[in-house]
Amino acid sequence: TRHPSGEGRRSMKLPMWTLRWLHRSRLSRSRLKGTFLHSWLGDRILDKDLWRPTPESLARAWLVGFPITVMPFLPAQSLLAVVAALLLRGNLLLAIALQYLSNPVTAPVHLPACYFVGELLRGHSPVAVWHHLQSTPMDLLTGGSVASLYSGACVLGILGGSLGYALIRSLWKHPGGSRPKARPHPAASPRQHP
């Protein structure tokens, strides 16, 4: 497809069964038209960038979705991810899917990592923090660890979101095997003298 600016847009095609499932679940652009969400959010909810996986929309979804999923014990993560993706025109499906990374199965890795980074930010020794985590892991669920959990989650979320954004943008397979060349700015081109 061609972008209005004339540049080619790179997108990947979803399998037909996925498109059919989204349509049956009322999560397709055509099924949202005329609904409460469409009347409330306007045509922004029908923007193709929200639904079609392009490098730009996926990178923006990762940038906002990952920090939200890293926050421990955050209620309504999916709702917050959707609002953030709508504001930045990120891919809604990826922003919602990222929220499932934060679950009881991943908590034994997720919570100690946030706590560890938070304690390091607060000036504690890495060895002492590691020993404390190994000897009393249930202390993570007490009120005394809240500041460390959330400060560590902020740092890990921002770093993970930024790193994911950069990786998606740089590693996306471009048609023809190379990145499109940037056009030189007209003012930067050398002038020819008569």
Side-chain angles (χ1 to χ4, degrees):
T1 59
R2 301 295 288 171
H3 192 266
S5 67
E7 298 177 9
R9 301 266 328 239
R10 302 165 312 273
S11 67
M12 87 181 175
K13 302 267 185 196
L14 290 175
M16 191 54 108
W17 67 267
T18 306
L19 295 172
R20 286 184 185 130
W21 179 82
L22 289 170
H23 188 71
R24 280 193 311 269
S25 302
R26 298 185 181 271
L27 290 174
S28 65
R29 292 174 58 230
S30 62
R31 296 291 290 257
L32 285 172
K33 197 168 205 162
T35 64
F36 167 74
L37 282 175
H38 184 224
S39 64
W40 188 50
L41 297 170
D43 287 337
R44 174 172 241 163
I45 192 74
L46 302 176
D47 186 4
K48 286 185 179 183
D49 277 341
L50 297 176
W51 303 98
R52 183 183 303 150
T54 63
E56 294 83 16
S57 70
L58 291 174
R60 288 190 296 257
W62 187 277
L63 182 66
V64 298
F66 189 79
I68 292 172
T69 196
V70 171
M71 285 294 160
F73 313 117
L74 184 64
Q77 285 179 317
S78 294
L79 181 63
L80 291 173
V82 165
V83 169
L86 282 171
L87 291 174
L88 292 179
R89 290 184 10 247
N91 186 279
L92 287 176
L93 302 175
L94 178 61
I96 293 169
L98 281 171
Q99 303 320 302
Y100 292 97
L101 290 176
S102 176
N103 61 56
V105 174
T106 61
V109 174
H110 172 226
L111 295 178
C114 292
Y115 180 78
F116 185 80
V117 171
E119 285 291 296
L120 292 181
L121 287 174
R122 295 176 72 194
H124 294 97
S125 161
V127 174
V129 174
W130 185 257
H131 177 70
H132 178 72
L133 277 172
Q134 286 183 332
S135 61
T136 55
M138 293 305 287
D139 280 356
L140 291 176
L141 303 176
T142 63
S145 65
V146 170
S148 295
L149 275 173
Y150 283 100
S151 60
C154 286
V155 169
L156 289 177
I158 291 170
L159 287 176
S162 301
L163 182 64
Y165 178 84
L167 285 174
I168 291 170
R169 296 285 310 220
S170 66
L171 296 178
W172 188 271
K173 300 287 183 196
H174 298 283
S178 65
R179 291 181 71 83
K181 293 182 180 178
R183 291 188 217 161
H185 192 273
S189 61
R191 294 184 181 184
Q192 296 179 358
H193 298 285

